[in-house]
Amino acid sequence: MLFVNTLGSFFVLLRLSTAVSDATGSGLLAGAVLSAPWLPALILAPFLNRILGERDPGRLVRIAEATSLVLTASLAALPVSGTALVVVAVSVVLVRGFFEAMTRSATSVLLRRLVDARRLNRANTFAEIGKLAGTSAGAAAAGPLSGALGPHAFFALNALTLAGSLLLAGTLPKAGPPGAGEEGAASGRPRRLRLEDPALRRLFALFLLVAFWQGFHTVAVNVVPRDVLGGGTSLVGVFVALSAVAIFAGSFAALSAQRRLTRMPAEVWAIAPMAPLAAAIAIARVGPTLAGYLIFLVLFEVAYVAYNNRLLAQARPEEVPVVVTLRATLLPAGVIVSILVVGLLADLAGPLVAVLAVIAVTVLVTAAPWLGRRPR
């Protein structure tokens, strides 16, 4: 279901982003369209947290998919075109962003309540692979079809994918009331959007590093092939394609290494990607740089899966809605901040300084518990 959901969502987002870029010539506005769906969940985070803790997650998924279907089908039937259609579509995408966050967050809550603890990491990793596959398939389809189909056709195709995901959502089992049947569930669920457990807060801080790396990667897909390797558009295309393969490889590597991921200290997965990243930028030759950067991306995805799985598995039942709400809101916000900061550093001081900043932030966040300890 997540594959179908993300496929249609990214399919339309890319088409809208291209339309905005063509109409305005602004890369910033085109990028803003791609980031727009994150904003509503961030603004409505307390509400999302509350409904995830109080409502059946399967029903929330069905409501979210049905609402997205109605909105998208309305766009496909809208009797306007050109700039007016783009403006209305971007507004609808903003509204849809909240329901997409609801779908993905409620799916995680449902997994935690229904899947046996021994199989939870594997199920959660498969969900991540499904989202990645959907995003990649949507991007791959949007490019070739943009020239052949108009926006209305894109919305119609997205409505079909949403109809498919709604049918799949209809097969989701009922999870029961919050905390039902789960040992240790508190009678009063926390309403505050805050992780009370220090260990979970520590894990989430490391998880935010992954968002920081993702923002860096968003900038690097253009900066590394052009500014580090001195290549052109063709090298950027190769770099983007190989990056997608590497991230997929990281998901499958994490799937096959589930036991090792749980046995190793969480800090290992924060530090491990830094060495190949530093080497890739320092060497600055096509072959070694591509190899080093792809290793970084594999380890980047392994870290994402490791932290995502640990957070979902270690959270108490009443804390799961808080975890998935923060994941749906703070992580995208971290990506946006990282894009702005790293992009500015790369423009002003060059890619090597930007990479050194990424490494410095990673080391500081990872070492923070030890740096903050007072000697006895």
Side-chain angles (χ1 to χ4, degrees), residues 28-47:
L28 178 62
L29 288 176
V33 171
L34 290 175
S35 303
W38 296 338
L39 185 61
L42 184 61
I43 295 171
L44 298 173
F47 174 68

Side-chain angles (χ1 to χ4, degrees), residues 349-371:
L352 181 57
V353 172
V355 168
L356 290 175
V358 171
I359 294 171
V361 169
T362 299
V363 171
L364 285 173
V365 172
T366 306
W370 294 277
L371 294 175

